[in-house]
Amino acid sequence: MRFPHLLGNERLKQTFSSLPLEKLGSSLLLTGPKGCGKKTAANDIAMAILCTGNEKPCGACPSCVRFSAGTNSDYEFFGGKDAVYNVDNIRAFRSRSFVKSGDSGTKVFLIADADKLNPQSQNALLKVLEEPLNTLFILTCENPFSLLQTVRSRCTLFTVEPLPEETIVTELSKENKYSPAEIKRVSALCGGSLQKARDLLEQGVSPYEEYAVSFMNCLDDEFSLFKLSKDISALSREDYIAFSSRLTELINDALSSSPSPGKLIKIYDYLDKQNKLMPLNPSVTSLSSALTAFCGGLTEE
Ligand SMILES: [Zn+2]
């Protein structure tokens, strides 16, 4: 199948090109960092599954035309900022999967940010994930281990990867809205997320963003960490908290692809400990120095 809208992700595209759609199974779980294209990938898969043309998705059959217009009744999406992830809504969503489908004989249900589902809601999905009636369920989430093992084990897992910096530069350059210097700057800071890059262009880049990315980039260089620590010490308390939160996100994103995640897990835990100390109002200088000393100690291991 083709992925007409998903950028990058050659590995995923290669996997799907050699995988007959009928062998996909009945439940998929797409994981990857925030803003890397999980929903786009899921929609491309849904469009292909529902397509009645030859080269799927063809973009021209009645099903594809309805899908592109957002009116394909064999497709249902659950998610977005207004979605309420409670068990009643999931039960109602589940019950709609039993309604007979139209043209393609199949229905596709997409649940975005499935890690927002509480255990009760996840349990409500178990039966349909296991015994679907001509239905494909696609779940997306950042971290597969945030889901119940029983849900995870029923799904075929695929990873959507962050975009390379050059792809982000190319995409933003097409929009003719920003200067090359602005584009280069946010492309280096967005962690492979086009959405994050656009947010940074709209909202501006805070010092904490740049420090968090620089910190990640020099984790193995004690001297650079020490130099950076002096700049971080000058952050306001609010910006230090934002720095720490962004660094935690970056570490989380890097964990799935790191060959030696042990060190990252230690830093993640350390940031979590610092976070719990916040009500005691420690100074930014002491937090920054302690974090640098902790990470510097790890580079010697
Ligand atoms: Zn089609």
Side-chain angles (χ1 to χ4, degrees), residues 78-118:
F78 186 90
K81 63 178 170 33
D82 296 327
V84 180
Y85 286 74
N86 63 22
V87 71
D88 289 341
N89 285 346
I90 291 301
R91 283 192 185 125
F93 186 76
R94 179 187 69 180
S95 67
R96 292 195 290 279
S97 72
F98 300 125
V99 179
K100 205 172 171 337
S101 63
D103 291 346
S104 59
T106 305
K107 295 185 89 151
V108 181
F109 285 80
L110 168 57
I111 302 181
D113 304 316
D115 31 6
K116 289 184 185 168
L117 296 168
N118 62 25

Side-chain angles (χ1 to χ4, degrees), residues 4 21 35 66-67 86 95 102 107 138 140-141 145 153 161-162 183 201 214 243 247 269 287:
L21 286 181
R66 283 199 295 270
F67 194 93
N86 63 22
S95 67
K107 295 185 89 151
I138 309 178
T140 71
C141 72
F145 296 101
S153 65
E161 292 168 343
I183 290 175
L201 284 165
S214 304
F243 156 80
L247 186 58
D269 289 342
L287 288 167

